[in-house]
Amino acid sequence: MNVEADISSQGIWQDRRHSLLWLYNLHYFDDLAAERSADRLDWQSRLVDRWITENPPGVGIGWQPYPSSLRIVNWIKWHLSNGVLGKAARDSLASQARQLEKRLEFHILGNHLLANAKALYFAGAFFGGPESDRWLQKGRQILECEMLEQVLPDGAHFELSPMYHLIVLEDLLDVLNIGKAYDLAPPDGLEDTVRRMLGWSAVMRHGDGDIPFFNDASFGIAQCPAALDSYAAGLGIVSVAEPTSDIMLAASGYTRLNAGDANVYVDAAAVGPDYLPAHAHADTLSFEISIGEERIVVNGGTSVYGDGPDRQVQRGTLAHSTITIDDSNSSDVWAGFRVGRRANVISREISSENGRTVLSAAHDGYKCLNGSPVHRRRFALEPGKLVITDFIEGSGTHRVESRVHLHPSISIGKIAPDGIELITPSGRRIRVSGEPGVTQQPGTWHPAFGSDVENLNLHVGRDVALPYMLQLTFTWET
């Protein structure tokens, strides 16, 4: 979480001077499954003993279902790797599984419930006897049901966050792994689901190999895509080779456009499941660009959870590379993990025109405003050139603004009335022009939790009478 604290006191486990997410991470025991974990066995053993003593059964944050689920899995992985859980720890582990079975998160669903099921499956495999058999079968049953519900036909996790997609993919790989360790038949559909998720991940990664930032997304929370490719290969599932052509992921609504070494990623997706928009941002029709291994255009990222003002800003439309109308959010994000009014994608199609790939999409997130504006966006990509045309339908006078958030490594070169020059770390020069003129503004990118990095964004906007058209053109040498 990029926040350090002294954890030597007994009260640290429940110390609400820290965020709930920070305390959750303290109770996860992720370090037991981290790199070079075996170098820290003595320290880790002492911390496990402390947790048992200082967190009596059923009391406090650590016994909530989600941290319990992650800790159960981590303790079992640790023991299977190093043989270190003594009787007291195994007794505690059984108590944790009993408590979890009674408190499965059917009220939250999504990745939480899947993590609960995984933990029951792990505990059922690890222990012997009728009780553990029940855990195993209940975990299997929920996993089979939730894979059908949560993984879309194109392989995307249905919460539509590339970060959570990787978290769930690792969960399913872990289930496959422990099944092989205990010679268990895998849950029905598991291997096929993993293959589809690997395929989606192969499309949704930048030239640097990591995720684009749509909805809740940060580095350092999920495993990187290549690590999960390798994990899957070690379990006998070979990942799909990264595609080099244009890909529309129809079920999830994301599209990747490709021309040479340039990739453009577009969010023409729903905010998420109707009943679970917790990780949604108001980012409909936002986009990111990478050329080679260099990120050029980004979305704002995620550095905090909770319901504070920073969380509200980071979920808002202004933090994303798309259009705002009258400073409004395209979807009504509120209270940290809630969404009221939602932008609906009302059209989406991809075609080829004279050597260019064209993606056209529209959403109705601004129809609540006077004159019922509708945002239509057209991406036309060819080698060395990207033209983004925004059509705002409707009536009345409105403030229409386009923002393009730049990766912090991008610097500004020549500035002229007809455009701005961007310079990448490798020296590539990209010219951005627009009508009306393009200006630069300071901004902040949030690539990880607890991380705020200064960057720049490009801005085009004015008060206009609808209907209205706005255009941005990116050109570079190939």
Side-chain angles (χ1 to χ4, degrees):
M1 305 307 298
N2 290 307
V3 177
E4 294 185 5
D6 182 344
I7 64 168
S8 60
S9 68
Q10 179 173 340
I12 188 62
W13 305 103
Q14 318 298 333
D15 189 345
R16 294 310 296 266
R17 289 177 296 179
H18 298 287
S19 72
L20 181 60
L21 184 61
W22 192 92
L23 292 172
Y24 264 30
N25 274 266
L26 188 62
H27 287 275
Y28 292 164
F29 278 77
D30 278 344
D31 190 66
L32 303 187
E35 292 181 358
R36 298 181 298 279
S37 173
D39 297 344
R40 300 181 292 278
L41 289 180
D42 289 344
W43 174 76
Q44 291 169 340
S45 295
R46 290 194 299 272
L47 199 61
V48 167
D49 291 342
R50 269 192 58 197
W51 189 90
I52 295 168
T53 301
E54 297 171 5
N55 292 272
V59 177
I61 291 168
W63 287 85
Q64 291 182 14
Y66 191 70
S68 291
S69 296
L70 273 64
R71 186 177 56 255
I72 287 168
V73 168
N74 283 329
W75 282 22
I76 291 173
K77 284 184 179 180
W78 189 57
H79 182 76
L80 294 179
S81 298
N82 303 292
V84 287
L85 288 182
K87 183 178 184 304
R90 294 195 301 273
D91 288 347
S92 173
L93 192 61
S95 295
Q96 293 171 51
R98 291 186 188 104
Q99 286 284 328
L100 174 62
E101 184 186 22
K102 298 174 184 176
R103 302 177 65 189
L104 298 173
E105 293 174 286
F106 286 103
H107 61 298
I108 294 178
L109 300 171
N111 70 86
H112 276 237
L113 181 59
L114 194 142
N116 300 162
K118 171 189 172 182
L120 281 184
Y121 192 86
F122 261 64
F126 183 73
F127 290 103
E131 186 177 33
S132 64
D133 288 345
R134 186 178 71 244
W135 297 337
L136 183 70
Q137 293 309 314
K138 184 174 289 188
R140 178 191 295 272
Q141 182 181 32
I142 296 172
L143 284 166
E144 290 174 348
C145 179
E146 291 304 308
M147 282 190 293
L148 290 173
E149 172 73 4
Q150 295 191 33
V151 181
L152 302 178
D154 63 12
H157 182 249
F158 78 155
E159 293 185 65
L160 301 179
S161 155
M163 179 180 77
Y164 276 94
H165 177 92
L166 297 180
I167 290 171
V168 170
L169 174 55
E170 183 177 9
D171 284 340
L172 296 183
L173 288 170
D174 281 347
V175 170
L176 184 62
N177 196 0
I178 197 167
K180 288 180 180 294
Y182 283 94
D183 197 25
L184 301 171
D188 290 347
L190 176 59
E191 293 189 9
D192 176 66
T193 300
V194 165
R195 287 191 183 92
R196 286 187 288 119
M197 295 189 77
L198 288 167
W200 193 90
S201 172
V203 176
M204 293 295 290
R205 65 181 74 174
H206 275 287
D208 61 12
D210 222 321
I211 58 172
F213 282 16
F214 297 115
N215 292 320
D216 278 342
S218 286
F219 298 140
I221 301 298
Q223 292 274 9
C224 69
L228 295 181
D229 292 346
S230 178
Y231 187 11
L235 295 171
I237 300 182
V238 179
S239 64
V240 178
E242 185 177 356
T244 56
S245 60
D246 307 308
I247 300 287
M248 176 181 280
L249 297 160
S252 57
Y254 289 106
T255 298
R256 167 175 152 170
L257 306 177
N258 172 263
D261 61 351
N263 291 302
V264 179
Y265 303 83
V266 180
D267 179 355
V271 299
D274 288 341
Y275 62 86
L276 188 59
H279 296 292
H281 288 204
D283 61 356
T284 308
L285 299 191
S286 66
F287 71 103
E288 295 198 354
I289 303 174
S290 61
I291 304 178
E293 296 182 1
E294 297 178 315
R295 294 188 185 222
I296 312 299
V297 174
V298 296
N299 283 315
T302 305
S303 71
V304 292
Y305 276 173
D307 59 1
D310 288 344
R311 172 71 170 161
Q312 187 67 16
V313 168
Q314 290 171 24
R315 296 181 77 204
T317 305
L318 287 174
H320 300 86
S321 294
T322 188
I323 290 285
T324 57
I325 302 178
D326 297 341
D327 293 323
S328 298
N329 288 327
S330 57
S331 292
D332 181 23
V333 291
W334 64 284
F337 298 95
R338 303 296 181 91
V339 183
R341 167 187 52 80
R342 293 111 192 259
N344 298 298
V345 175
I346 55 178
S347 67
R348 181 179 64 228
E349 63 179 353
I350 191 169
S351 61
S352 180
E353 298 179 4
N354 301 318
R356 297 175 298 175
T357 301
V358 177
L359 172 68
S360 299
H363 77 83
D364 65 0
Y366 294 116
K367 288 193 73 173
C368 60
L369 302 177
N370 291 334
S372 302
V374 169
H375 177 203
R376 297 189 180 274
R377 178 162 257 193
R378 182 179 188 270
F379 298 83
L381 178 66
E382 60 187 280
K385 186 175 183 180
L386 171 66
V387 180
I388 302 174
T389 308
D390 292 294
F391 305 92
I392 313 301
E393 301 172 355
S395 61
T397 299
H398 297 271
R399 182 70 177 173
V400 176
E401 298 175 273
S402 176
R403 284 177 177 79
V404 175
H405 296 263
L406 302 177
H407 188 272
S409 68
I410 304 300
S411 59
I412 301 296
K414 297 177 182 178
I415 300 176
D418 60 346
I420 288 180
E421 182 183 59
L422 310 181
I423 304 176
T424 73
S426 69
R428 185 189 299 270
R429 296 177 183 271
I430 303 167
R431 188 173 181 276
V432 184
S433 58
E435 176 58 40
V438 181
T439 61
Q440 60 172 309
Q441 298 176 338
T444 309
W445 189 48
H446 309 283
F449 278 87
S451 177
D452 303 317
V453 182
E454 292 183 357
N455 72 337
L456 296 171
N457 64 71
L458 305 181
H459 175 264
V460 179
R462 60 169 56 163
D463 294 327
V464 298
L466 301 187
Y468 178 68
M469 185 183 81
L470 181 155
Q471 192 167 82
L472 283 173
T473 300
F474 298 74
T475 56
W476 62 92
E477 291 188 3
T478 58

